[in-house]
Amino acid sequence: MLEAYSMVFLFLFCYQVASAEVHKEGHYVAAVYEHPSILSPNPAALTDRHAALELMNRNLDIYEEQVIAAAEQGAQIIVFPEDGIHGFNFTRETIYPYLEFVPCPRSVKWNPCREPDLFGDTEVLQRLSCMALRSKIFLVANIGAKQPCEYRDPLCPPDGRYQFNTDVVFNDNGTLVARYRKQNLYFEYAFNTPPEVDCVLFDTPFAGKFGIFTCFDILFYEPAVRLIKKYNVKQIVYPTAWMNQLPLLSAVEFQQAFATAFNISILAANIHHPTLGMTGSGIYTPLKSFTYHDMESHDGKLIVAEISVMPQEHESYVESYVRPGKSIEYPHNNFASLHLHDQVCSKREQETHCRIAQKDDEEATPIFYSEMMYDNFSFVPVIGTKGDLQVCANTLCCYLSYQRLTLSDELYALGVFDGLHTVHGTYYVQVCALVKCGGLSYSTCGQEVSEATALIDFQLWGNFSTSYIFPLLLMSDINLDFADHLGWKNKYYLMSKSGSSSSLVTAALYGRWYEKD
Ligand SMILES: *[C@@H]1O[C@H](CO)[C@@H](O)[C@H](O)[C@H]1NC(C)=O
Ligand SMILES: *[C@@H]1O[C@H](CO)[C@@H](O)[C@H](O)[C@H]1NC(C)=O
Ligand SMILES: *[C@@H]1O[C@H](CO)[C@@H](O)[C@H](O)[C@H]1NC(C)=O
Ligand SMILES: *[C@@H]1O[C@H](CO)[C@@H](O)[C@H](O)[C@H]1NC(C)=O
Ligand SMILES: *[C@@H]1O[C@H](CO)[C@@H](O)[C@H](O)[C@H]1NC(C)=O
């Protein structure tokens, strides 16, 4: 008897030691899967539930393998991308057979795996729930949902139902614990915007509460920013189906910037369709990231990483994270004295503006206009091995202090835009950007570039009118880097980087002025 007790004690003791080794204290293991979704060959054609389920089950077979693989590596939560199960490019009618009924998890406690017959048209939810239950893992996935509505409801669509782009979250028991309906649809004519903004949190035993939002939501105040500010969440799960657009909105580039800007962790899963420019997933903290971006391979990718429950803040915020009131001091005396010096002009530059710039700093900085991200940016060329530049538009002035460490035949420019962006969505941005141009002529500045050879030390800052600044730092071949310094200094937001061993493609301060949308 005694012996048996001590065996039990020994066993328990060993188990505790073993599990402590698996999960470092204050850490958890997260997984995201970039999924090359099997798409309907003709999403515009009408089909039936049977055919829809057949297609979705093929994607779910892959999900199942990934859940098992993630759990084997100790993952406690796994995130799958937007549109990963059903695909995209449907009409309101053709997506209907793919839609499931998703009850509100706050009003009904439901485990679809254990109680499959409670609601009809829930085959996908049942499979997802069983995956979570069997592998004892929290699971986040995106589906299409239908919800009947009353004709008396003034917002009810004429066909008597809402259709929502919906994220579902299951706990490690397979219980449905959260449902988020996408707020900022990206030209998804198959779906409705929810009648009220969903502000959704769910709780986990390993990392506390998580917030959730989807794809295009990342650019807007509701619900992403409200969620973070109001509920002080430190973890976000983020299913997305993101088409990359350089130089400012590549998936991994912006996901990292979001984590840094809000001092949070974000688990981002994208779908993988390189021919459509869709790739870029990762597990991000403000200081470290584990990413996948691959335009060559057709394969998906499971990323598993152990991260801290309380993200460590960026070590070197310049002064304070909170935007201070209006004062008119410059961040540093050196920054105020803007003058061009030490010009080493390339042949082409000498032919155009550089000589003039050397003669008269004030007047002759050769401003030119070029389209970047469909916006009319004002640029000044980055000339010579080092210098200080300034360019303004509307109420935003951008400043750059730079030193080129390698002499290469590459043109860079400092650009500014302060205005309403109106192509592929309407939103107000204030941007200061140091970009590598597509070629050697000014008109190529703002083009999509992903490779560079130049090593550049820089300080970039601007007098933004919004406190929401997303710091982008993209190096050659879509590699991310981290700034040395970041944050507010008086009324300027500043980013600096020196001594990087990678070549610079884009360094930008992407400000979102939500009130002016
Ligand atoms: C979906 O639509 C986009 C834009 O219209 C198009 O470029 C793309 O080829 C379509 N993709 C599929 C898989 O149908
Ligand atoms: C999981 O389900 C089991 C059995 O129904 C129950 O005893 C347990 O409390 C549940 N755990 C959670 C976290 O819901
Ligand atoms: C960032 O978050 C950590 C906790 O995760 C906190 O200790 C730190 O103060 C935060 N930093 C900023 C600048 O908000
Ligand atoms: C860009 O803005 C500048 C300055 O406002 C203006 O002169 C120019 O015509 C604009 N270019 C385009 C293509 O709109
Ligand atoms: C930014 O600086 C410029 C130049 O000093 C000034 O004209 C502009 O009003 C400033 N903007 C803000 C918001 O203070």
Side-chain angles (χ1 to χ4, degrees), residues 39-41 43 88-89 243 276:
L39 298 170
S40 160
F88 43 83
N89 281 11
M243 271 191 214
L276 298 172

Side-chain angles (χ1 to χ4, degrees), residues 1 36 46 53 58 79 87 95 148 162 181 186 223 287 296 318 407 440 476 488 506:
M1 222 28 206
L46 275 172
L53 278 174
R58 287 165 66 202
V79 183
I95 202 170
Y162 289 111
R181 300 166 303 179
Y186 188 78
L287 283 185
E296 313 292 307
V318 174
L407 278 179
L440 293 178
S476 195
W488 291 99
T506 304

Side-chain angles (χ1 to χ4, degrees), residues 232 234-235 260-265 286 308-314 317 320-322:
N232 193 29
K234 288 289 175 189
Q235 324 285 335
T260 306
F262 287 111
N263 188 30
I264 56 163
S265 298
S308 172
V309 169
M310 291 302 279
Q312 298 305 298
E313 72 181 291
H314 198 283
Y317 280 96
S320 84
Y321 194 73
V322 183

